[in-house]
Amino acid sequence: MDGKKGLRVKFKNLNFNNLLVFTAVFRSNSMTLAAKELGMTQPGVTQHIKNLENLLNVEFFHRVGKKLIPTKEAEILFEGLGQPLETIDLALYKITQKDRLFAGSVKIGVPIEFGNTMVLPKLAKIRSRFQDVQFYITYGLPHELNTLLVEGKLDFAFIDQYQVNPALTTEIVFRENLILCCSREYYGLAGQYKKERKFFEALNYVAYQPGEPIVRNWLDRAFGFKKMNLKVAAYSFDVQGVAALVTSSMGVGVLPEHVFLKLKSEGHELYQFRPKVGPVSNPISLAYLEQRYQVPLNQYVVTVLKEMLMGK
């Protein structure tokens, strides 16, 4: 009974604002970013965390250089607070009719080309309606975005099907058609086109990364060619880099359809290798850690982006 009485005394002295500040710091791993999100000073945020730690006699964050690393106790508290705080936040919004729900920061990870073309213009539309929302955009390759998500440094990210960490929750939100192409000049040097393994193994390729997963997947899905002996002339992790190498006649590469069409509209003469049956597409998934996906603002932004990307 004495233990339960002690807990009741602690809960009675608990400041609700301490919990709100704690969740902001936990999500951002930063006192400074949490202060910006909440419209507070950094010392004010630090004091809230100290007050909560002193009240509960628990340490929630370790400092490693300039980074904050949540303790196990912090993870347990954050997981327990997620749904209750979300419910309270929504309730306050409904009874006050204020835009509390639509204020704060959202950290989003995107591939460069897909982000610039498909995501950023839609974020601009959201921002035009809700002026108190601030976006932090991080560009990266799939494995980089996976790492940032797992470390809690992003609220959500858009990742293609080839590299998704199994710890993440994913949902396909867009399918981009992929085009295997080359310049007309290179096509003229490649010899008579045949949909045969020997023809494609004689070509030079421009790939995104060693192992050539995107090129190999395209050839497999388009023609059923597996375990190809590919001659790779160059690697470029960037879509625009691959596009530049393809248009410079270095070899054959895979480009998103919207990039391929843009290059043609700009006057580049390109040849498209067409698959036997239908287009080859690359599913783009929305990815996030389930325990991080508790903030109403994040959920609203995700919902709107999904509707826009899926054409609803």
Side-chain angles (χ1 to χ4, degrees):
M1 294 297 293
D2 290 341
K4 291 183 178 179
K5 182 178 180 181
L7 284 174
R8 285 198 296 270
V9 170
K10 287 184 177 181
F11 291 151
K12 183 177 179 181
N13 295 327
L14 192 61
N15 186 326
F16 178 69
N17 287 330
N18 290 344
L19 299 178
L20 291 176
V21 171
F22 166 80
T23 58
V25 174
F26 186 94
R27 290 196 309 272
S28 63
N29 289 113
S30 167
M31 299 285 187
T32 302
L33 292 178
K36 289 181 179 180
E37 176 183 338
L38 298 170
M40 300 173 59
T41 63
Q42 190 271 332
V45 168
T46 302
Q47 190 59 52
H48 274 285
I49 297 300
K50 287 183 178 179
N51 291 343
L52 186 60
E53 290 179 329
N54 291 337
L55 177 65
L56 300 178
N57 194 28
V58 170
E59 186 177 12
F60 288 124
F61 301 97
H62 297 306
R63 284 193 174 275
V64 180
K66 295 183 178 181
K67 295 178 60 177
L68 287 181
I69 306 299
T71 63
K72 186 65 176 178
E73 289 78 8
E75 293 176 355
I76 293 172
L77 179 59
F78 180 81
E79 183 175 355
L81 287 175
Q83 192 63 40
L85 284 181
E86 176 188 342
T87 303
I88 293 170
D89 204 35
L90 286 170
L92 291 173
Y93 169 71
K94 289 178 181 177
I95 65 175
T96 60
Q97 293 299 301
K98 294 180 180 179
D99 284 343
R100 288 186 70 258
L101 182 59
F102 307 114
S105 63
V106 183
K107 295 171 291 182
I108 306 170
V110 293
I112 295 176
E113 189 63 33
F114 179 80
N116 286 341
T117 304
M118 304 301 298
V119 179
L120 268 59
K122 295 169 177 55
L123 293 179
K125 291 182 179 180
I126 296 175
R127 183 61 171 70
S128 67
R129 182 178 178 188
F130 300 105
Q131 295 295 308
D132 292 326
V133 176
Q134 187 176 47
F135 296 112
Y136 290 83
I137 309 299
T138 297
Y139 293 101
L141 299 170
H143 71 275
E144 296 171 331
L145 298 179
N146 270 274
T147 299
L148 292 173
L149 283 167
V150 172
E151 291 178 350
K153 296 177 181 178
L154 295 175
D155 293 315
F156 59 88
F158 294 93
I159 299 177
D160 68 30
Q161 67 172 352
Y162 299 104
Q163 296 183 31
V164 179
N165 190 306
L168 301 172
T169 298
T170 60
E171 178 183 354
I172 295 175
V173 295
F174 187 80
R175 293 182 183 274
E176 61 178 5
N177 290 335
L178 299 179
I179 307 297
L180 184 71
C181 61
C182 64
S183 69
R184 284 284 178 179
E185 179 184 359
Y186 183 81
Y187 180 73
L189 299 173
Q192 185 177 1
Y193 172 42
K194 296 181 180 180
K195 295 181 180 179
E196 298 176 356
R197 184 187 189 93
K198 183 177 180 180
F199 172 82
F200 284 98
E201 287 187 334
L203 300 174
N204 291 321
Y205 288 89
V206 178
Y208 291 96
Q209 62 191 94
E212 309 82 48
I214 294 178
V215 173
R216 292 181 183 277
N217 181 272
W218 195 98
L219 291 169
D220 182 12
R221 292 169 62 188
F223 302 115
F225 298 150
K226 302 179 184 296
K227 297 182 179 179
M228 298 281 286
N229 293 318
L230 299 182
K231 297 189 298 182
V232 181
Y235 292 103
S236 173
F237 288 94
D238 177 57
V239 172
Q240 292 301 325
V242 171
L245 294 171
V246 167
T247 56
S248 298
S249 302
M250 182 174 284
V252 177
V254 175
L255 296 174
E257 184 177 40
H258 64 87
V259 175
F260 174 80
L261 295 175
K262 181 180 180 182
L263 291 173
K264 292 193 70 173
S265 70
E266 293 173 349
H268 292 282
E269 295 186 0
L270 298 175
Y271 180 83
Q272 175 182 355
F273 296 92
R274 298 187 182 277
K276 286 183 177 180
V277 181
V280 175
S281 64
N282 175 37
I284 301 294
S285 294
L286 173 76
Y288 55 87
L289 276 176
E290 191 66 42
Q291 60 265 39
R292 299 279 182 175
Y293 189 59
Q294 301 291 340
V295 183
L297 174 59
N298 294 347
Q299 294 180 354
Y300 170 78
V301 172
V302 165
T303 299
V304 175
L305 282 175
K306 286 196 300 185
E307 290 177 350
M308 289 179 174
L309 289 170
M310 300 172 75
K312 295 182 179 179

